Amino acid sequence: CFVPMFISTLHTTAKQNFKQGFIFGFVFSCFTYSWMISGAERFTGHSFLYGAGVFLICALVIALYWAVLITCISFIRIKENTYSVVLSSLAAAALFCVFEFVWSLIGNGMPWFNFYAGTAFEGNIYAVQSASFFGVYILSFIVILINYLIAVYVAKKQWKKLIIPAAIILIYLCCGYFILQNFDNNVSKDKTVKIAVVAENIPPDIKWDDANGNMLVQRLLDLNKAAAAQHPDIILWSESAIPWTYKKDDDLVNEILKESAPAKATHIL
């Protein structure tokens, strides 16, 4: 999916790439953040304009991010030989990962800003295996490496050389297969993992305010107590259980952990 974008950066100026990156980022945001327009109105009680304003700010921020990223990628120069093309692709993939890492630090606490090209692999059990060793950035690295190689060879109409990214895909998936097989062979078949799923069934548009706060907290604590009584290995909370960014010293989280401490359960909140 990145191929058309990368093709557009190969023979244009930095100024043109900045413009193209900005347009790409803004269009991308129109799909990614469209939920904010109605969501902000529903969850905060403010008018439609509030949601539209939040959406526009997020779209402009992401558009600027992509504009800077694509401009930097455009400075990578490609010579005619295969070695240069591969080296340039490695450089583009590395640059992409650096941007994702820095952006994750800037957007800390604002998960809607987190974007990893590697999340495209999440639906393939073999493609994600390398993340167990190198983290999410190796996934992004492979995605960009392959897309950039394809973009260069398509732009140059070197169709036979498309076998290079195809071979990388095949080798990468084979490595993932063997990593998974090795893991499965070393897992004890006798040990089971018991999971308690906590479904709070709280409508997401109920406000966490003085009128409802105590009731909502008590419902969560009661559910946590019931889950802990089953002595599970993991207590899994649904996405909307705690609708704020919490830190290690969060009062509610500490209370939840204290309640389930005797069960020695791991929480996923």
Side-chain angles (χ1 to χ4, degrees):
C1 294
F2 287 109
V3 168
M5 181 184 69
F6 286 146
I7 290 176
S8 72
T9 68
L10 296 178
H11 303 292
T12 48
T13 65
K15 184 177 180 180
Q16 289 172 319
N17 283 318
F18 184 90
K19 180 180 179 181
Q20 291 175 172
F22 191 91
I23 294 172
F24 175 88
F26 192 85
V27 174
F28 174 80
S29 299
C30 289
F31 292 95
T32 309
Y33 301 126
S34 58
W35 59 271
M36 288 184 171
I37 298 176
S38 59
E41 179 184 7
R42 180 184 179 192
F43 298 141
T44 66
H46 294 296
S47 68
F48 167 83
L49 293 176
Y50 178 80
V54 172
F55 162 77
L56 184 60
I57 291 172
C58 290
L60 290 174
V61 169
I62 293 299
L64 186 60
Y65 167 82
W66 281 100
V68 175
L69 173 55
I70 300 306
T71 301
C72 290
I73 287 181
S74 70
F75 290 121
I76 298 173
R77 298 303 175 197
I78 303 171
K79 297 179 181 178
E80 290 301 321
N81 60 77
T82 301
Y83 175 79
S84 174
V85 172
V86 172
L87 197 61
S88 297
S89 300
L90 291 171
L95 183 63
F96 222 94
C97 292
V98 169
F99 264 76
E100 288 186 355
F101 173 73
V102 173
W103 189 243
S104 70
L105 299 178
I106 297 173
N108 186 31
M110 296 178 286
W112 50 87
F113 278 149
N114 284 347
F115 173 81
Y116 301 100
T119 54
F121 281 161
E122 65 183 8
N124 188 299
I125 194 171
Y126 303 117
V128 299
Q129 293 303 315
S130 60
S132 60
F133 294 99
F134 304 107
V136 68
Y137 298 106
I138 188 62
L139 306 183
S140 294
F141 186 89
I142 296 296
V143 167
I144 301 305
L145 173 64
I146 292 170
N147 276 261
Y148 199 87
L149 281 171
I150 294 174
V152 174
Y153 292 137
V154 169
K156 294 178 178 294
K157 297 183 179 179
Q158 297 174 332
W159 309 114
K160 291 182 179 179
K161 290 186 177 181
L162 288 174
I163 194 173
I164 296 176
I168 294 175
I169 294 171
L170 182 61
I171 293 170
Y172 179 76
L173 290 176
C174 286
C175 289
Y177 172 80
F178 287 116
I179 292 172
L180 182 60
Q181 286 294 106
N182 181 67
F183 175 80
D184 287 341
N185 292 336
N186 289 282
V187 171
S188 173
K189 305 300 181 182
D190 299 327
K191 180 173 174 55
T192 59
V193 177
K194 187 177 182 181
I195 302 176
V197 180
V198 179
E200 78 288 351
N201 293 324
I202 297 174
D205 50 355
I206 288 185
K207 307 295 185 296
W208 282 74
D209 53 22
D210 292 338
N212 299 312
N214 290 337
M215 178 271 293
L216 295 174
V217 168
Q218 191 58 53
R219 183 180 297 188
L220 295 179
L221 293 178
D222 289 343
L223 286 169
N224 186 57
K225 185 176 181 179
Q230 300 180 34
H231 300 286
D233 298 292
I234 297 173
I235 299 178
L236 175 63
W237 296 73
S238 67
E239 181 182 3
S240 61
I242 301 177
W244 61 78
T245 301
Y246 53 87
K247 294 180 172 59
K248 291 182 179 179
D249 57 351
D250 186 280
D251 291 339
L252 178 56
V253 174
N254 285 337
E255 192 65 30
I256 288 172
L257 295 176
K258 185 174 75 174
E259 185 71 49
S260 58
K264 298 181 179 179
T266 297
H267 286 266
I268 300 179
L269 290 90

